[in-house]
Amino acid sequence: MRFASRVQQWPTRLTPAPFRLLQIGSAFWQSRALYAAARLDIATRLGEETLTAEEIASRIAADGDAIARLLRLLAALGVFRETAPRRFVNNELSGWLRRDHPRNLRAMILLHNDPAMCRPWYESLEEGLREGRAPFALSHGQELFPYLTDHPELERLFADAMDSVEALSGDSFATDFDWSRFHHLIDLGGARGSKARTILRHHPRLRATVVERPSVVAEARQHREGDAEAERLTFLAADLQSYQPPPASPGDVFLLAAVLHCLDDAEAAAVLGRVAAAGAPVVVLEQVLPEQGADLAAASFDMQMFMGTRGRERTRAEWQALAVKAGVVLEEIVALRSFARILVFRRGH
């Protein structure tokens, strides 16, 4: 991803400044076109066939000329391929939007472009920047996770999107770290348990408990049919910010995957310190930003955290400062074959 980010900068450097500013200023046209294609589920309806815009439109109850223009734009962006005038086929990119793709990203595209998620960007960003407050809360009157609890349909979409994160990150978090030294994984804030399941698949002697909000646990239990790891995976409903783990047993390990970046430093330190006090190592799966010169992907993730939460992506120095605040020791940072890192914390002496 870092290499891809550098490559993407080459045309940026070659594009005259006024044109580059226009590209950035109108980039939302592209995201909205992609969102419309995902909403209409064009990639799934197209499947392995090559169809005219009119044939595609007939399958999705849309206008043929409008669909031709939409797909022409997306094909120019490398999503779908135009094989002849007004004839289109799926390509490598659009294939990841197909529902039958085992690791499709459709839910992530739908989530990022959902009206509830877009509204803060459009109406509250400037106010949030001036006041240092999350635009999501300014627009909706409540923070992201309470809002999700009150809006079950969006919460399901959020859970679907989180399940698809592994399409981006792969399973290196399960293979590049030695989980086999442990017996019981306690995944705090583990959503439907997709990461816990991946770790269990690679480590057959391990068992896992996922701790999540009651509404998420209720839905996660409905997704367990055909789950090969079901006998080794349990769910516990609890509020993470008030959850007090019992004293750890030998062989226990806690996992906080993409949790602390949703919290401000005071909240993150409180959670980290409370979990570490149970006595087991705490494995944190997060980004570690460079002190300067973050790439576009990392900087974008950080801005999204500002948009929706009081959290942030952190540099190594900021993780060290958080450890001090939490009264824990940062023992190790493990590089992964993805954009994330594993940070191992233990309670201080």
Side-chain angles (χ1 to χ4, degrees):
M1 287 186 67
R2 285 191 293 271
F3 174 75
S5 180
R6 288 195 294 269
V7 170
Q8 288 172 353
Q9 292 174 9
W10 296 344
T12 297
R13 295 184 182 124
L14 296 174
T15 303
F19 291 97
R20 182 56 185 149
L21 287 174
L22 288 174
Q23 286 178 339
I24 297 171
S26 59
F28 75 95
W29 300 353
Q30 301 171 20
S31 65
R32 298 307 290 177
L34 183 63
Y35 175 62
R39 284 272 299 175
L40 294 168
D41 208 12
I42 291 175
T44 305
R45 300 297 183 90
L46 188 53
E48 301 295 329
E49 299 179 82
T50 301
L51 300 176
T52 66
E54 286 70 24
E55 289 170 328
I56 296 169
S58 69
R59 294 186 178 187
I60 60 175
D63 179 80
D65 185 61
I67 292 301
R69 295 165 73 175
L70 173 72
L71 292 179
R72 183 169 57 196
L73 170 59
L74 291 172
L77 293 169
V79 185
F80 300 101
R81 183 166 65 90
E82 189 173 14
T83 61
R86 301 172 72 88
R87 291 182 65 85
F88 297 91
V89 65
N90 275 314
N91 64 0
E92 183 178 359
L93 265 66
S94 64
W96 287 77
L97 296 174
R98 291 175 58 172
R99 289 177 184 265
D100 54 356
H101 190 298
R103 301 172 76 181
N104 76 80
L105 287 171
R106 183 172 180 268
M108 188 70 77
I109 302 302
L110 294 177
L111 175 68
H112 285 169
N113 289 274
D114 186 89
M117 303 299 286
C118 289
R119 182 180 157 196
W121 282 98
Y122 288 119
E123 72 178 25
S124 302
L125 177 57
E126 183 178 348
E127 183 182 359
L129 291 170
R130 291 185 183 279
E131 298 182 5
R133 297 171 59 194
F136 189 95
L138 292 172
S139 285
H140 295 291
Q142 61 184 149
E143 296 186 358
L144 175 62
F145 292 104
Y147 184 91
L148 292 177
T149 300
D150 292 342
H151 296 79
E153 187 174 342
L154 184 61
E155 184 168 55
R156 283 191 292 272
L157 179 58
F158 186 89
D160 288 342
M162 294 307 100
D163 283 348
S164 72
V165 167
E166 287 176 40
L168 296 174
S169 62
D171 60 2
S172 63
F173 65 89
T175 59
D176 293 358
F177 180 72
D178 184 16
W179 296 99
S180 63
R181 58 181 134 156
F182 305 110
H183 303 299
H184 181 207
L185 167 70
I186 304 103
D187 185 359
L188 303 174
R192 293 174 179 163
S194 61
K195 281 190 168 54
R197 287 184 179 89
T198 300
I199 294 170
L200 292 179
R201 280 199 299 273
H202 288 279
H203 302 278
R205 296 183 180 180
L206 196 64
R207 58 189 177 87
T209 300
V210 174
V211 181
E212 251 296 358
R213 289 172 293 141
S215 57
V216 177
V217 167
E219 180 158 7
R221 286 172 175 156
Q222 297 176 10
H223 285 72
R224 299 191 63 179
E225 293 184 11
D227 184 353
E229 288 74 38
E231 293 183 358
R232 294 186 289 136
L233 177 63
T234 58
F235 289 88
L236 174 64
D239 179 354
L240 181 61
Q241 290 190 324
S242 61
Y243 174 66
Q244 179 64 58
S249 301
D252 283 355
V253 60
F254 293 102
L255 172 63
L256 288 164
V259 169
L260 298 183
H261 74 167
C262 298
L263 308 175
D264 64 25
D265 286 349
E267 294 170 325
V271 170
L272 183 57
R274 187 168 62 250
V275 174
V282 183
V283 172
V284 171
L285 179 61
E286 296 268 11
Q287 287 199 78
V288 178
L289 294 180
E291 297 297 331
Q292 69 176 59
D295 61 30
L296 178 59
S300 297
F301 282 130
D302 183 50
M303 197 63 191
Q304 177 65 8
M305 299 319 299
F306 170 74
M307 179 60 56
T309 73
R310 286 179 283 178
R312 64 191 308 120
E313 305 296 346
R314 294 177 171 93
T315 66
R316 183 179 185 128
E318 289 169 335
W319 281 113
Q320 291 280 12
L322 189 67
V324 172
K325 192 178 185 73
V328 301
V329 176
L330 175 55
E331 280 194 338
E332 184 182 10
I333 298 181
V334 180
L336 303 177
R337 289 167 289 168
S338 76
F339 53 83
R341 296 288 182 270
I342 279 181
L343 302 95
V344 183
F345 296 90
R346 288 185 183 270
R347 65 182 175 187
H349 300 292

